[in-house]
Amino acid sequence: MADLKSENEENETNGEEDDEDLSTNDDNQHVSDNSDNQSMSVSNVGRKPLHGMPCSLKTLVNDKILEPKDGSLSIDYMGAKFMADLLPNGTIRLQETKQVFMSPSSWVNHCRKLVNGDAKLGSAWSTIRYMGKRLDSYKLRWYRKQKKITGSNSSDFPVDTKPGISGISCSKSVQVISDYSEIEKCGNKTLKDVNVVEHRVLGNRSDSLKMNVMVKCQPFAAMDRIQPFTITISTNALLLIDFHCHLINTEVVGYLAGSWDVATHNLAILQAFPCRSKLTDRENAALVEEEIKQAMERRHLNLIGWYHSHPKAVPQPTIKDIESQIEYQIAMKGESDSSYTPCVGLICSPFYEYNDGLSATFQVYWVMPPPETRPNEYGKPMQMTYTISRDSFLTQDLLLEMRLLAHFYAVSKGFIDFNKDYKNENTIWQKLQISLKSKLPRDLLDIEGQSASQAQVQQQALSHFWAFIKGLLMP
């Protein structure tokens, strides 16, 4: 399993997200509910992207990229064909049953379930056709109208480049983020912008450039490109990552495990595996990594990425993160297409001071290698949109891992005091609850139409869950 190289950015400033529901950082992220018979089980709760403007079917209709029309939408899946109407409000109405779906992913999810019971989303926008043409091509047309694309971008994308991973090490000791005490001298820059630069200003690799400088991720649409593969993340994985990153004021790291579907080009992140070791403890880290490797093998999961926290900073990768990610991608590239597995990095920012909300901010990124004609440049971090799949329930593995994490960090110097005030008259404990709430499984959520007895059972289960978490952190 190798080494998860990551920076110990103990003094970074971090955090954000929206006030409720799934912590996402772009509009193309959705929540997929795994329930069987809900035509609106997937709702577009994606937020405005960190970079670039949001785009939905309603956006495309409002901006006259698409015209509402009966029978304009179609899906061909495993020999079955489904037809639907595009309505003026951007929703989708299935012609046969008149069911209405709020997003492309919810309709694709429904159709796939009808054919073979498989609710795996894959790429909804590329699966659906509008008047016979792929739906994602219309979204790309919209982005082109919003962005001024420079001609030089077209040569920056090596189309045969594929991601991968080398070792991930829970033990890598790295540099600390630069001091923000000189903020008053930064002219018109706000604290949000300090130490965050555009990729184009980096130039060639240089020993004089600090490895903890953060680089802004670029959306593929800004380069007139479509994301090379789709990503699905389970709520249980996000819940554990969010919990892990909230426990201590220094950086934490962990692995991402799941599966790669060659047919749909979808990378499914199904489970997170936190590294319960200090970044400077190389000896213990090796034991932790071996335990994680065996745990993945028992669950028949593949290593597909890594995560780490920026405790008080924006979730943008540092130069060190970019270099590490490139190493992982090269290592997992494989000798042929059949052995290739993508790899992504995920950054969680739980305590970013300038976050308007209380939930943690997440950024998933992949690094575009430099062109062969400019091999000395740094790789370009790319913002990866993703779909969030809501799990049916919390697993015993997840609850056990939360207990082990709390016990491990409780004796650490930087362990968070959850009784302390955070901001907006909320304690850190209340902040954590808000952040985790959006990632709860379906059995802990209020479901419209449930009976009074079902609602009572759900509320009892939810109360037990919060009592369990509070007992771990505030005994």
Side-chain angles (χ1 to χ4, degrees):
M1 203 144 165
D3 300 326
L4 207 153
K5 299 177 183 175
S6 134
E7 303 171 30
N8 185 8
E9 297 161 327
E10 300 181 1
N11 299 328
E12 289 186 326
T13 42
N14 249 292
E16 163 337 337
E17 221 230 56
D18 216 306
D19 47 2
E20 68 172 283
D21 291 301
L22 287 149
S23 305
T24 60
N25 59 11
D26 21 53
D27 71 303
N28 293 331
Q29 295 154 358
H30 305 272
V31 184
S32 169
D33 190 332
N34 294 330
S35 55
D36 292 333
N37 297 311
Q38 294 181 347
S39 64
M40 296 168 62
S41 62
V42 180
S43 59
N44 182 354
V45 299
R47 312 303 181 193
K48 183 177 180 179
L50 293 178
H51 317 295
M53 301 176 65
C55 179
S56 64
L57 276 180
K58 189 174 188 300
T59 305
L60 297 181
V61 171
N62 291 343
D63 287 359
K64 303 189 185 306
I65 299 293
L66 298 180
E67 179 184 352
K69 187 178 299 185
D70 291 350
S72 58
L73 300 175
S74 63
I75 293 176
D76 287 294
Y77 182 62
M78 296 183 67
K81 186 164 185 175
F82 302 88
M83 300 296 297
D85 309 325
L86 177 59
L87 303 182
N89 63 356
T91 57
I92 300 169
R93 181 176 61 200
L94 189 59
Q95 287 197 326
E96 185 175 354
T97 63
K98 303 304 179 183
Q99 290 174 279
V100 175
F101 299 88
M102 304 302 292
S103 68
S105 54
S106 61
W107 184 36
V108 171
N109 188 32
H110 173 78
C111 293
R112 288 179 174 171
K113 279 186 177 181
L114 290 178
V115 174
N116 65 355
D118 182 9
K120 188 181 298 182
L121 283 173
S123 175
W125 283 76
S126 62
T127 300
I128 299 173
R129 266 40 178 188
Y130 175 82
M131 304 301 292
K133 188 174 180 180
R134 277 175 43 162
L135 192 58
D136 56 2
S137 65
Y138 293 94
K139 177 187 283 190
L140 186 58
R141 184 188 303 176
W142 182 87
Y143 275 117
R144 285 172 180 160
K145 292 178 64 176
Q146 309 304 316
K147 303 286 185 178
K148 182 179 180 181
I149 308 299
T150 60
S152 59
N153 282 341
S154 60
S155 63
D156 288 343
F157 187 81
V159 294
D160 58 345
T161 301
K162 299 172 182 177
I165 196 168
S166 79
I168 300 182
S169 167
C170 308
S171 63
K172 186 73 173 180
S173 177
V174 288
Q175 299 168 328
V176 176
I177 200 72
S178 58
D179 188 2
Y180 287 113
S181 61
E182 299 297 314
I183 181 61
E184 299 299 332
K185 302 177 183 179
C186 292
N188 293 327
K189 280 193 171 185
T190 66
L191 183 56
K192 298 180 183 180
D193 301 317
V194 175
N195 213 40
V196 181
V197 301
E198 298 282 352
H199 176 269
R200 65 175 181 271
V201 308
L202 295 180
N204 292 333
R205 288 183 174 85
S206 171
D207 293 337
S208 63
L209 191 58
K210 293 182 179 179
M211 298 297 283
N212 56 10
V213 171
M214 288 180 283
V215 184
K216 187 177 293 185
C217 288
Q218 185 173 10
F220 280 91
M223 298 183 64
D224 200 15
R225 301 286 178 176
I226 296 176
Q227 189 169 302
F229 55 92
T230 58
I231 300 172
T232 305
I233 309 179
S234 74
T235 47
N236 278 354
L238 286 174
L239 180 72
L240 185 56
I241 294 170
D242 198 347
F243 178 79
H244 186 195
C245 295
H246 267 94
L247 294 181
I248 194 166
N249 61 15
T250 56
E251 180 176 320
V252 301
V253 297
Y255 295 91
L256 302 174
S259 60
W260 165 240
D261 191 325
V262 178
T264 62
H265 272 236
N266 184 70
L267 189 70
I269 300 173
L270 303 175
Q271 194 165 343
F273 289 85
C275 287
R276 281 179 276 108
S277 63
K278 295 180 180 179
L279 295 179
T280 54
D281 188 352
R282 295 178 179 274
E283 182 177 350
N284 186 54
L287 298 176
V288 171
E289 289 165 8
E290 181 59 30
E291 289 178 1
I292 293 175
K293 179 181 178 181
Q294 294 177 7
M296 286 187 189
E297 291 176 349
R298 288 196 301 270
R299 293 163 179 77
H300 304 290
L301 298 174
N302 297 318
L303 178 65
I304 56 176
W306 64 299
Y307 73 86
H308 69 286
S309 65
H310 287 182
K312 296 180 180 180
V314 290
Q316 300 288 356
T318 63
I319 292 177
K320 181 62 179 175
D321 295 334
I322 294 170
E323 295 287 84
S324 297
Q325 178 66 21
I326 279 286
E327 291 179 16
Y328 306 156
Q329 292 177 188
I330 293 173
M332 283 185 65
K333 185 175 181 180
E335 298 180 356
S336 64
D337 289 344
S338 61
S339 61
Y340 156 66
T341 301
C343 157
V344 294
L346 183 151
I347 302 172
C348 175
S349 296
F351 298 112
Y352 179 42
E353 181 181 358
Y354 290 83
N355 169 22
D356 294 333
L358 296 176
S359 296
T361 300
F362 291 83
Q363 172 102 275
V364 178
Y365 73 101
W366 177 77
V367 176
M368 182 185 299
E372 293 183 2
T373 55
R374 301 194 295 273
N376 293 324
E377 289 184 356
Y378 289 99
K380 181 179 295 185
M382 304 301 297
Q383 177 183 329
M384 302 293 286
T385 62
Y386 55 91
T387 297
I388 299 176
S389 175
R390 194 176 297 281
D391 289 289
S392 298
F393 51 83
L394 299 175
T395 65
Q396 289 300 314
D397 286 342
L398 185 148
L399 296 173
L400 175 59
E401 187 59 56
M402 295 177 86
R403 184 186 297 276
L404 294 174
L405 282 171
H407 289 174
F408 176 79
Y409 288 108
V411 296
S412 300
K413 181 179 179 181
F415 185 65
I416 298 297
D417 183 353
F418 289 88
N419 288 302
K420 284 188 174 182
D421 291 336
Y422 184 63
K423 65 178 181 180
N424 300 332
E425 299 182 354
N426 290 284
T427 63
I428 300 179
W429 163 244
Q430 291 170 322
K431 175 204 180 312
L432 177 66
Q433 284 185 291
I434 290 172
S435 193
L436 297 184
K437 180 181 177 182
S438 61
K439 305 165 188 70
L440 294 177
R442 195 172 64 252
D443 67 336
L444 296 183
L445 295 177
D446 292 323
I447 299 176
E448 186 177 353
Q450 64 183 356
S451 65
S453 60
Q454 289 174 326
Q456 183 178 8
V457 171
Q458 180 269 330
Q459 285 299 318
Q460 289 177 344
L462 184 60
S463 297
H464 286 315
F465 172 73
W466 291 128
F468 167 74
I469 299 298
K470 191 170 185 178
L472 295 179
L473 306 178
M474 305 162 64

